[in-house]
Amino acid sequence: MPSHFISIDGLGKYILYFAVLFSFTNTEAQEDQIHPLALTPYNLNYVSSYKGMNIATNRTLTKALNVFTLTAASKNMFAKLIEEATFRVDTNGDITGIKYESSKNILGAKKKELLLYDVDMGIAKYKSKKKKREFSLELGHLDGLTYQLKLQSDLINLARKKDQLAAKKISSLHYPLITKGRQKIYHFEILGEEMLETLLGKITTLKVRKLHKNDKRETLLWFAPKWNFMLVQLWQNEKNGDDYRISIEKGTLNGINLK
């Protein structure tokens, strides 16, 4: 197989990462409610290139009445992925899911997933072409997008703690979520501040590593405190040595251009 050829599975996996993978929590951080700054509407564009292929990613957060919609779309000439989560933030400051759905079209091969929340029954119902499952919401009901919002919120809360020494000691963070019809826990650790060169100039960022169990992959993420801890860059190194990077290109936060 020519080295420049990318399989459907490989391309799909790459596109999935450009939906932006990240999250964390722990016992102390989990006590914090969703911070209002994390719910500020935004529209962000990212750029990347992998084996000569350009990939564009757009992420938006909007609100209509009391319902939030978080959308992530990644595409190039070979593939397209769209994810969308609708949710509320209840009176306790917790995320209450309504629906999560994803649609992939990779070289003509299509796949859809749907996750519906029944809060009254205390269950989440997952459906794809090959799977139908139910999960208890007591075990964690964040999905492939809302856990990212909780990440952002926790970063804001940790940064604003009065006891900064205690906040800095929280370095290992974890989140339960439902993804691809299974329950998983994503593990992250905070590495510290780093000055990052981006298309929008030099930005002071908080660097975070996603931990992979029994895996040779490495994933690093950089978040911008001055923009409510939005993701500005993601880098991943695969088992086979291939690596790729997604970087912020432009965007708006509460209708104001990032600069």
Side-chain angles (χ1 to χ4, degrees):
M1 181 181 296
S3 61
H4 63 272
F5 182 84
I6 299 177
S7 68
I8 291 179
D9 289 340
L11 180 58
K13 185 175 183 180
Y14 175 64
I15 290 288
L16 280 171
Y17 273 105
F18 279 69
V20 190
L21 302 176
F22 46 79
S23 77
F24 70 82
T25 190
N26 82 344
T27 304
E28 183 173 353
Q30 200 169 20
E31 296 174 357
D32 295 324
Q33 299 178 345
I34 294 295
H35 197 286
L37 287 178
L39 300 174
T40 304
Y42 59 77
N43 187 333
L44 307 174
N45 290 326
Y46 299 84
V47 295
S48 65
S49 179
Y50 178 66
K51 291 190 174 181
M53 296 189 309
N54 293 324
I55 295 179
T57 295
N58 175 261
R59 292 176 57 83
T60 62
L61 176 66
T62 60
K63 180 183 180 182
L65 298 177
N66 293 320
V67 176
F68 294 89
T69 301
L70 181 56
T71 305
S74 297
K75 64 180 181 179
N76 68 1
M77 62 186 298
F78 301 108
K80 184 177 182 180
L81 167 68
I82 298 177
E83 293 181 280
E84 184 172 278
T86 54
F87 61 94
R88 294 185 178 91
V89 176
D90 63 24
T91 55
N92 295 322
D94 297 321
I95 294 174
T96 302
I98 299 174
K99 180 175 68 173
Y100 166 85
E101 55 187 333
S102 71
S103 174
K104 290 187 293 184
N105 187 334
I106 303 171
L107 297 176
K110 299 179 180 180
K111 182 179 180 180
K112 292 185 178 182
E113 296 177 275
L114 178 65
L115 185 64
L116 294 174
Y117 299 95
D118 188 332
V119 179
D120 293 335
M121 294 293 293
I123 59 174
K125 298 179 180 180
Y126 173 86
K127 180 181 179 181
S128 67
K129 186 176 181 179
K130 297 182 179 180
K131 295 179 184 178
K132 285 187 178 180
R133 294 181 179 175
E134 292 187 357
F135 301 90
S136 170
L137 297 184
E138 295 179 355
L139 300 178
H141 64 278
L142 297 177
D143 56 53
L145 287 178
T146 55
Y147 82 101
Q148 301 172 17
L149 181 74
K150 189 63 170 70
L151 156 78
Q152 180 190 0
S153 175
D154 284 349
L155 282 174
I156 294 170
N157 281 319
L158 287 173
R160 289 171 173 262
K161 281 183 177 291
K162 293 181 179 180
D163 186 351
Q164 293 298 315
L165 181 61
K168 289 179 180 178
K169 290 181 179 179
I170 301 175
S171 59
S172 181
L173 306 149
H174 325 278
Y175 253 155
L177 67 150
I178 300 171
T179 176
K180 299 180 182 179
R182 294 182 293 172
Q183 288 183 314
K184 290 187 176 182
I185 298 179
Y186 284 175
H187 302 267
F188 287 78
E189 63 178 353
I190 298 174
L191 300 180
E193 287 188 355
E194 183 174 307
M195 183 65 69
L196 190 69
E197 185 71 49
T198 74
L199 294 174
L200 294 174
K202 290 185 177 180
I203 301 172
T204 299
T205 66
L206 183 65
K207 188 176 181 180
V208 176
R209 175 187 288 125
K210 184 178 187 292
L211 303 178
H212 297 279
K213 184 177 181 180
N214 299 324
D215 201 327
K216 294 182 180 179
R217 289 179 295 170
E218 184 177 12
T219 306
L220 298 174
L221 310 100
W222 290 261
F223 302 90
K226 73 172 184 177
W227 292 330
N228 296 349
F229 286 92
M230 295 293 183
L231 180 78
V232 293
Q233 182 169 278
L234 179 150
W235 173 84
Q236 173 138 329
N237 186 51
E238 285 292 333
K239 298 178 184 179
N240 61 5
D242 290 335
D243 72 307
Y244 45 85
R245 188 182 307 268
I246 173 173
S247 300
I248 195 163
E249 178 186 30
K250 60 183 179 179
T252 61
L253 180 60
N254 205 23
I256 302 174
N257 290 329
L258 301 180
K259 58 182 180 179

